[in-house]
Amino acid sequence: MNLQGNTLDSFSKTKKMKRVEVKSQIKSSSETIIKAFLDSDMLKGWWSVERCLIENKIGGIYILAWQINDTGFGYVNSGTIKSFDPNTELVISNFVYMNPKKKILGPMSLTIRATEIDFATSEIYICQDGYQNGIDWDWYYEAVKRAWPTEIK
């Protein structure tokens, strides 16, 4: 899937919660955008996910792994599918980030929404929130804030 488009980045930070929000217009159907977050081949193609285990249903597990080698995983995201409409929305709750060099970070949530603008174009909205405070949390927040706009271009 070609995840290219004009990106409008919106990052908000409050005392209680930090979130990363990104909107972009993409030349794709909304169904294909949601599928890109669920299909292992599509995840490999645009997000470089090396392995995943995803149950495409409410209550299903959502696990993605990168940088796999003989000694383990470089990093892993996991969560539970809270809301799922194959045409418009995927919400992952209890979203956790694991990296052998950092604390386990979570729970957070990841929301992906896709809205068709016309026959060939859709708007994608991504929101990752639930960030807490601390050195590892600040590092992860900054990494995600830089990554999401790049990943959906």
Short mmCIF file of all heavy atoms in Angstrom, two decimals, residues 115-137:
data_model
loop_
_atom_site.label_atom_id
_atom_site.label_comp_id
_atom_site.label_asym_id
_atom_site.label_seq_id
_atom_site.Cartn_x
_atom_site.Cartn_y
_atom_site.Cartn_z
N THR A 115 -11.30 7.58 6.46
CA THR A 115 -12.52 8.13 5.91
C THR A 115 -12.31 8.42 4.43
O THR A 115 -11.39 9.15 4.07
CB THR A 115 -12.88 9.46 6.62
OG1 THR A 115 -12.91 9.23 8.03
CG2 THR A 115 -14.22 9.99 6.15
N GLU A 116 -13.17 7.84 3.59
CA GLU A 116 -13.03 8.08 2.16
C GLU A 116 -13.46 9.49 1.82
O GLU A 116 -14.50 9.96 2.25
CB GLU A 116 -13.82 7.04 1.36
CG GLU A 116 -13.17 5.69 1.44
CD GLU A 116 -13.70 4.67 0.45
OE1 GLU A 116 -14.54 5.03 -0.40
OE2 GLU A 116 -13.28 3.52 0.56
N ILE A 117 -12.61 10.18 1.07
CA ILE A 117 -12.90 11.53 0.61
C ILE A 117 -13.57 11.47 -0.76
O ILE A 117 -14.53 12.16 -1.02
CB ILE A 117 -11.60 12.37 0.55
CG1 ILE A 117 -11.05 12.51 1.97
CG2 ILE A 117 -11.85 13.72 -0.09
CD1 ILE A 117 -9.66 13.10 2.03
N ASP A 118 -13.02 10.63 -1.64
CA ASP A 118 -13.60 10.39 -2.95
C ASP A 118 -13.22 8.97 -3.36
O ASP A 118 -12.67 8.21 -2.57
CB ASP A 118 -13.17 11.45 -3.97
CG ASP A 118 -11.67 11.52 -4.17
OD1 ASP A 118 -10.99 10.47 -4.10
OD2 ASP A 118 -11.15 12.63 -4.38
N PHE A 119 -13.47 8.62 -4.59
CA PHE A 119 -13.23 7.26 -5.07
C PHE A 119 -11.79 6.79 -4.86
O PHE A 119 -11.56 5.63 -4.55
CB PHE A 119 -13.60 7.16 -6.56
CG PHE A 119 -13.36 5.80 -7.14
CD1 PHE A 119 -14.18 4.73 -6.80
CD2 PHE A 119 -12.30 5.58 -7.99
CE1 PHE A 119 -13.95 3.47 -7.33
CE2 PHE A 119 -12.06 4.32 -8.52
CZ PHE A 119 -12.89 3.27 -8.18
N ALA A 120 -10.83 7.68 -5.00
CA ALA A 120 -9.43 7.28 -4.98
C ALA A 120 -8.64 7.76 -3.76
O ALA A 120 -7.49 7.39 -3.59
CB ALA A 120 -8.74 7.80 -6.24
N THR A 121 -9.25 8.56 -2.89
CA THR A 121 -8.50 9.17 -1.78
C THR A 121 -9.25 9.01 -0.47
O THR A 121 -10.47 9.13 -0.42
CB THR A 121 -8.29 10.68 -2.06
OG1 THR A 121 -7.68 10.82 -3.35
CG2 THR A 121 -7.39 11.31 -1.01
N SER A 122 -8.49 8.77 0.58
CA SER A 122 -9.04 8.68 1.94
C SER A 122 -8.18 9.49 2.89
O SER A 122 -7.00 9.73 2.62
CB SER A 122 -9.08 7.24 2.42
OG SER A 122 -9.93 6.46 1.62
N GLU A 123 -8.77 9.89 3.99
CA GLU A 123 -8.01 10.53 5.06
C GLU A 123 -7.74 9.49 6.12
O GLU A 123 -8.63 8.75 6.53
CB GLU A 123 -8.78 11.69 5.67
CG GLU A 123 -7.99 12.36 6.81
CD GLU A 123 -8.73 13.54 7.41
OE1 GLU A 123 -9.58 13.30 8.29
OE2 GLU A 123 -8.45 14.67 6.99
N ILE A 124 -6.48 9.44 6.56
CA ILE A 124 -6.12 8.56 7.66
C ILE A 124 -5.86 9.43 8.89
O ILE A 124 -5.27 10.51 8.79
CB ILE A 124 -4.88 7.70 7.33
CG1 ILE A 124 -4.57 6.74 8.50
CG2 ILE A 124 -3.68 8.56 6.99
CD1 ILE A 124 -3.49 5.72 8.19
N TYR A 125 -6.35 8.96 10.03
CA TYR A 125 -6.12 9.62 11.31
C TYR A 125 -5.52 8.57 12.23
O TYR A 125 -6.07 7.47 12.37
CB TYR A 125 -7.44 10.14 11.89
CG TYR A 125 -7.35 10.55 13.34
CD1 TYR A 125 -6.81 11.78 13.70
CD2 TYR A 125 -7.81 9.71 14.35
CE1 TYR A 125 -6.72 12.16 15.03
CE2 TYR A 125 -7.73 10.09 15.69
CZ TYR A 125 -7.19 11.31 16.02
OH TYR A 125 -7.11 11.69 17.34
N ILE A 126 -4.38 8.90 12.82
CA ILE A 126 -3.73 8.02 13.79
C ILE A 126 -3.55 8.78 15.08
O ILE A 126 -3.08 9.92 15.08
CB ILE A 126 -2.35 7.54 13.28
CG1 ILE A 126 -2.51 6.73 11.99
CG2 ILE A 126 -1.64 6.71 14.35
CD1 ILE A 126 -1.20 6.37 11.34
N CYS A 127 -3.93 8.16 16.18
CA CYS A 127 -3.72 8.75 17.50
C CYS A 127 -3.16 7.67 18.42
O CYS A 127 -3.77 6.62 18.59
CB CYS A 127 -5.02 9.30 18.07
SG CYS A 127 -4.83 10.00 19.73
N GLN A 128 -2.00 7.94 18.97
CA GLN A 128 -1.41 7.05 19.97
C GLN A 128 -1.34 7.86 21.26
O GLN A 128 -0.71 8.92 21.29
CB GLN A 128 -0.03 6.56 19.53
CG GLN A 128 0.52 5.48 20.42
CD GLN A 128 1.75 4.83 19.83
OE1 GLN A 128 1.96 4.81 18.62
NE2 GLN A 128 2.58 4.27 20.69
N ASP A 129 -2.01 7.38 22.30
CA ASP A 129 -2.03 8.15 23.54
C ASP A 129 -1.88 7.25 24.76
O ASP A 129 -1.82 6.03 24.64
CB ASP A 129 -3.28 9.03 23.63
CG ASP A 129 -4.57 8.23 23.68
OD1 ASP A 129 -4.54 6.99 23.77
OD2 ASP A 129 -5.63 8.87 23.62
N GLY A 130 -1.80 7.90 25.92
CA GLY A 130 -1.61 7.19 27.18
C GLY A 130 -0.17 7.24 27.67
O GLY A 130 0.20 6.52 28.59
N TYR A 131 0.64 8.12 27.08
CA TYR A 131 2.03 8.24 27.50
C TYR A 131 2.09 8.75 28.94
O TYR A 131 1.33 9.63 29.32
CB TYR A 131 2.78 9.23 26.60
CG TYR A 131 2.87 8.79 25.17
CD1 TYR A 131 1.87 9.13 24.26
CD2 TYR A 131 3.94 8.03 24.72
CE1 TYR A 131 1.95 8.72 22.94
CE2 TYR A 131 4.02 7.62 23.41
CZ TYR A 131 3.02 7.96 22.53
OH TYR A 131 3.09 7.56 21.22
N GLN A 132 3.02 8.20 29.68
CA GLN A 132 3.22 8.62 31.06
C GLN A 132 4.52 9.42 31.15
O GLN A 132 5.04 9.84 30.13
CB GLN A 132 3.22 7.38 31.96
CG GLN A 132 1.88 6.65 31.90
CD GLN A 132 1.91 5.33 32.63
OE1 GLN A 132 2.66 5.14 33.60
NE2 GLN A 132 1.11 4.39 32.18
N ASN A 133 5.01 9.63 32.35
CA ASN A 133 6.22 10.44 32.55
C ASN A 133 7.41 9.58 32.90
O ASN A 133 7.27 8.49 33.44
CB ASN A 133 5.97 11.46 33.67
CG ASN A 133 4.90 12.45 33.29
OD1 ASN A 133 4.90 12.98 32.20
ND2 ASN A 133 3.97 12.68 34.20
N GLY A 134 8.58 10.08 32.59
CA GLY A 134 9.82 9.39 32.91
C GLY A 134 10.75 9.40 31.71
O GLY A 134 10.35 9.73 30.59
N ILE A 135 11.99 9.04 31.94
CA ILE A 135 13.00 9.09 30.89
C ILE A 135 12.63 8.19 29.71
O ILE A 135 12.68 8.62 28.56
CB ILE A 135 14.40 8.72 31.46
CG1 ILE A 135 14.87 9.79 32.44
CG2 ILE A 135 15.41 8.54 30.33
CD1 ILE A 135 16.09 9.42 33.23
N ASP A 136 12.28 6.94 29.99
CA ASP A 136 11.92 6.02 28.90
C ASP A 136 10.65 6.47 28.19
O ASP A 136 10.55 6.38 26.97
CB ASP A 136 11.76 4.59 29.42
CG ASP A 136 13.10 3.96 29.80
OD1 ASP A 136 14.15 4.45 29.34
OD2 ASP A 136 13.09 2.98 30.57
N TRP A 137 9.67 6.95 28.96
CA TRP A 137 8.43 7.45 28.36
C TRP A 137 8.70 8.65 27.46
O TRP A 137 8.15 8.74 26.36
CB TRP A 137 7.42 7.83 29.44
CG TRP A 137 6.66 6.67 29.96
CD1 TRP A 137 6.84 6.04 31.16
CD2 TRP A 137 5.58 5.98 29.32
NE1 TRP A 137 5.95 5.01 31.30
CE2 TRP A 137 5.17 4.95 30.18
CE3 TRP A 137 4.94 6.12 28.09
CZ2 TRP A 137 4.13 4.08 29.86
CZ3 TRP A 137 3.91 5.26 27.77
CH2 TRP A 137 3.51 4.25 28.65
#
